[in-house]
Amino acid sequence: MEVKLARANRRPSQGGKAKPRLRPLRGGPAVPLWLQLKHALRDLASFDLRPGDRIPTEAELGAHYALSRITVRQAVTSLVEEGLLLRQQGRGTFVRARRHDAPLSNPGHFLATAFDREPGSDIRLHAAETVPCPDWVAQQLGIAAAAPVHKLRRILHRDGKPIAIRTSFIPAALAPDLLSATPADPLHLALERDVGLVAQEATERLEVIGADAWRSRLLAVPEHAPLVLTERVALDAAGRAMECARTYYRADAFSFTRTLRRGELRNLRPRG
C-alpha cells in the first residue's frame, strides 16, 4: 500500500520518537529491485529523517518490501559507500551528518575557502616553524631547494572534531618576521595586512587521495579513508610565488560546488 511520507505523517513509536513510513518502490521491471530500494531509502534519509536517525533494519526492510536480505544489503551498502548512511556495529544504520557545502570560489576574496569560512568551527595552530624548503615545494615556489621557508600547519575543527588540515609554505625571504607573532586567520589576509604580500592570482588543483597513517591520526579517520586535497600556489603582482598551501578535507564532511555562468564567447578554433 502506497503511503505519503511527509514529516507530519510520522507516527509515535516507543520512546516517543516519530517513525516515518517507508516510501514505495518505483521504476518498474526495467529497474533492478536493489536500485529501486536505494532510491526509496535515499528519499527517506534526505527528506524524512534527520542526521543521527536510525533507518529500519535490513530484516524490517526485507519484510516490508518482500525483498531478499542480499537485495536489501546491496541497496544499504551502496548508500553507506556514498556517505549518506553510516553503519555502527551492534547498533544499526544511521543517517550520516550532512556534508558542509563548500564553494570552490568566494566573492568575498578570491583566496577564501571553506577552511577559512567554515561556520561554527575553529582553526587551531598545530605547528609553526622555519625549515629548509622541501624539493617539491621549492619547485612550486620557484626558489632554491633547502632555502628557508615558514611552514604553518593548522587544523580545522567543527563540533570539537578535526575535519581539515592545511599546511602553508611561505618563503622566509618575502616575510622574515612572519612567525614573530602568530598570524591571524585567514593567512592570506594576514600576509596582506601585516607583511604587505598581496596575492593577485593563484593556481589550484583538486584531487581525491587516501589518508596515510599520519593524516588519519590528525583527522581521526581510518587509514585510506578518502580525503579531498587542494594544492594552491598564490602569486603576487610581480609574479612571485608567495605561498604554497595544501589542504586536506575529510571527504565525509565536505562537498564542493562551483557556480558556472556563460561569459564572453571565445574563438576556440586553432590558428594556423
Side-chain angles (χ1 to χ4, degrees):
M1 180 174 63
E2 294 190 5
V3 184
K4 279 189 175 181
L5 261 187
R7 198 175 284 276
N9 286 340
R10 288 183 171 187
R11 55 189 179 190
S13 62
Q14 290 184 353
K17 290 185 178 179
K19 183 178 180 181
R21 295 184 181 182
L22 292 169
R23 294 179 176 235
L25 301 183
R26 295 186 302 274
V31 180
L33 287 173
W34 75 267
L35 187 56
Q36 293 186 45
L37 178 58
K38 176 183 176 180
H39 293 328
L41 292 177
R42 182 192 298 280
D43 289 344
L44 176 71
S46 300
F47 302 114
D48 303 303
L49 298 178
R50 294 179 291 267
D53 284 350
R54 185 178 69 84
I55 70 167
T57 66
E58 292 181 1
E60 291 170 336
L61 291 170
H64 180 86
Y65 291 109
L67 297 175
S68 71
R69 195 71 171 264
I70 293 176
T71 299
V72 172
R73 176 155 295 188
Q74 185 177 4
V76 173
T77 297
S78 181
L79 291 174
V80 169
E81 291 175 346
E82 287 186 13
L84 183 65
L85 300 178
L86 173 68
R87 282 195 178 106
Q88 294 187 6
Q89 186 69 30
R91 296 191 60 221
T93 303
F94 298 81
V95 179
R96 187 187 286 274
R98 302 285 190 260
R99 290 181 173 93
H100 174 66
D101 189 22
L104 288 173
S105 58
N106 191 301
H109 192 291
F110 80 104
L111 292 183
T113 66
F115 190 96
D116 306 302
R117 298 179 179 275
E118 166 73 359
S121 63
D122 67 290
I123 300 173
R124 305 175 191 176
L125 183 65
H126 180 264
E129 55 185 338
T130 302
V131 299
C133 188
D135 289 352
W136 69 269
V137 178
Q139 184 179 32
Q140 298 280 49
L141 292 174
I143 61 177
V149 290
H150 301 310
K151 178 180 178 181
L152 294 93
R153 179 176 296 114
R154 291 175 164 84
I155 302 179
L156 177 69
H157 292 75
R158 184 173 64 197
D159 300 325
K161 299 178 181 179
I163 56 173
I165 304 168
R166 172 172 291 170
T167 303
S168 297
F169 298 89
I170 299 95
L174 298 181
D177 301 322
L178 180 63
L179 301 188
S180 60
T182 303
D185 279 299
L187 182 58
H188 60 269
L189 295 181
L191 289 173
E192 289 185 11
R193 182 185 62 246
D194 302 332
V195 185
L197 288 176
V198 180
Q200 294 296 328
E201 64 176 276
T203 58
E204 187 171 60
R205 65 183 182 88
L206 183 150
E207 61 181 281
V208 177
I209 66 170
D212 59 14
W214 182 76
R215 293 183 182 90
S216 70
R217 288 195 299 271
L218 285 183
L219 289 173
V221 296
E223 280 193 56
H224 312 300
L227 304 177
V228 178
L229 164 65
T230 64
E231 181 178 279
R232 182 179 74 202
V233 177
L235 309 176
D236 65 9
R240 298 176 302 179
M242 49 178 276
E243 180 194 16
C244 175
R246 288 168 65 92
T247 308
Y248 303 85
Y249 297 94
R250 285 178 48 160
D252 62 351
F254 288 89
S255 62
F256 294 84
T257 60
R258 180 184 176 193
T259 300
L260 304 176
R261 293 186 177 89
R262 181 184 295 273
E264 181 181 354
L265 294 177
R266 294 179 297 172
N267 183 5
L268 300 181
R269 184 179 303 170
R271 297 179 179 179

